[in-house]
């Protein structure tokens, strides 16, 4: 593959993720009450909310292939998920950057693991750092960046590998309100071009209603459509305020 091919290729299609009557929990017997039956459409952004301890992070790790379900199965495009895969990327609340690697080297990491040639992954890293507004920070180490900047690096690293699904576990939860809003807008802009399916866990109702095409209320199992996804000027529209009220009631 040439040094320009990775950037020139069209975005891969988003993955279809299906939970077939899945019972969530850990092997030690700690189970989340109830089961989850849900289809997440290719390219959809599903926001997941629920009270503390309801299994939001467990759900994400199960879809990632890090944790087997206690019952039922999870599939991607009809194939059972049994282990992690390169086309499903995880983004955490804590940036999980490697502190001894530069910003550029952190973004290159998923490509280096796949043995993408060095020149090509350099090009891809430069492109993604530019897209997240960090073009001038490539040679810095993570400790030299702010929290918001580190999350931008983590987002660039996750997307540089061109995943078909992005699984996000409260990625902006530790940021201040202004930086959080900036990161939400950045995520919207970037995902518009990627085609990836996104499962976005959050405890913030405003964030769920703003970002999601649908919202899964994990405690009750309800799935609600968002009337105006990603439109900030619609936050006071009747449909949006009603959805906000229903989510708060479920919590």
């Amino acid at each position: 593959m040439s040094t320009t091919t990775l950037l020139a290729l069209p975005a891969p299609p988003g993955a279809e993720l299906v939970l077939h009557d899945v019972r969530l929990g850990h092997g030690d017997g700690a189970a989340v009450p109830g089961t989850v039956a849900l289809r997440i459409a290719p390219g959809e952004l599903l926001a997941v909310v629920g009270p503390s301890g309801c299994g939001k992070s467990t759900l994400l790790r199960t879809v990632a292939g890090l944790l087997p379900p206690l019952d039922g199965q999870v599939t991607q495009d009809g194939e059972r998920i049994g282990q992690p895969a390169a086309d499903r990327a995880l983004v955490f609340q804590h940036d999980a950057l490697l502190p001894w690697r530069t910003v550029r080297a952190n973004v290159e990491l998923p490509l280096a693991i796949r043995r993408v040639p060095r020149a090509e992954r350099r090009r891809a890293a430069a492109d993604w750092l530019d897209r997240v507004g960090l073009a001038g920070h490539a040679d810095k180490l993570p400790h030299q960046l702010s929290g918001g900047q580190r999350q931008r690096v983590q987002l660039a690293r996750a997307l540089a590998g061109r995943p078909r699904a992005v699984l996000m576990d409260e990625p902006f939860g530790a940021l201040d309100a202004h930086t959080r809003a900036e990161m939400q807008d950045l995520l919207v802009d970037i995902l518009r071009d990627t085609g990836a399916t996104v499962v976005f866990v959050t405890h913030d109702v405003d964030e769920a209603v703003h970002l999601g095409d649908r919202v899964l209320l994990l405690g009750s199992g309800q799935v609600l459509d968002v009337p105006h996804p990603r439109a900030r000027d619609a936050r006071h529209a009747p449909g949006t305020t009603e959805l906000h009220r229903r989510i708060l009631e479920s919590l």
Side-chain angles (χ1 to χ4, degrees):
M1 185 179 290
S2 73
T3 58
T4 59
T5 302
L6 188 65
L7 301 181
L9 286 173
E16 179 191 58
L17 302 171
V18 182
L19 289 84
H20 303 265
D21 296 319
V22 167
R23 189 162 65 99
L24 302 168
H26 296 266
D28 60 6
V32 175
T35 60
V36 181
L38 176 68
R39 175 184 179 267
I40 307 169
E44 177 181 5
L45 196 157
L46 178 76
V48 181
V49 299
S52 296
C54 73
K56 298 187 295 296
S57 294
T58 303
L59 169 69
L60 213 62
R61 283 155 175 75
T62 302
V63 174
L66 294 169
L67 186 66
L70 298 179
D71 200 4
Q73 66 175 359
V74 184
T75 61
Q76 176 175 316
D77 301 324
E79 298 293 328
R80 179 179 174 274
I81 294 174
Q83 61 186 7
D87 62 356
R88 292 189 302 276
L90 274 166
V91 179
F92 300 98
Q93 179 174 348
H94 301 291
D95 56 72
L97 300 177
L98 299 179
W100 59 88
R101 294 177 71 103
T102 64
V103 166
R104 178 191 296 110
N106 267 287
V107 176
E108 289 182 14
L109 183 60
L111 303 177
I113 291 172
R114 288 160 50 185
R115 301 183 183 277
V116 172
R118 182 178 181 183
E120 185 177 350
R121 64 181 191 252
R122 281 285 173 101
R123 286 279 302 263
D127 176 66
W128 276 104
L129 287 173
D130 182 60
R131 293 175 74 173
V132 301
L134 293 176
H137 300 267
D139 294 320
K140 292 182 178 179
L141 293 172
H143 77 269
Q144 297 174 295
L145 305 179
S146 68
Q149 288 172 328
R150 289 195 298 271
Q151 283 294 55
R152 287 171 182 261
V153 176
Q154 183 179 207
L155 183 60
R157 181 178 66 183
L159 295 174
R162 299 169 59 83
R164 299 181 58 228
V166 183
L167 312 173
M168 310 185 78
D169 194 357
E170 301 195 35
F172 311 144
L175 304 178
D176 63 79
H178 177 71
T179 306
R180 187 186 192 112
E182 286 184 340
M183 288 300 300
Q184 291 168 355
D185 291 340
L186 175 65
L187 177 65
V188 169
D189 287 343
I190 288 176
L191 290 179
R192 187 178 294 119
D193 300 327
T194 68
T197 304
V198 180
V199 183
F200 190 103
V201 167
T202 180
H203 66 275
D204 186 305
V205 175
D206 288 330
E207 185 167 68
V209 171
H210 173 56
L211 292 176
D213 294 301
R214 293 187 298 164
V215 178
L216 168 63
L217 309 180
L218 192 54
S220 67
Q222 292 178 280
V223 182
L224 306 175
D225 291 326
V226 177
H228 305 285
R230 295 172 285 287
R232 289 200 187 277
D233 57 359
R235 64 179 301 175
H236 298 301
T240 305
T241 56
E242 172 62 16
L243 175 61
H244 197 281
R245 182 192 64 79
R246 291 181 66 182
I247 296 173
L248 287 175
E249 284 183 352
S250 78
L251 299 177

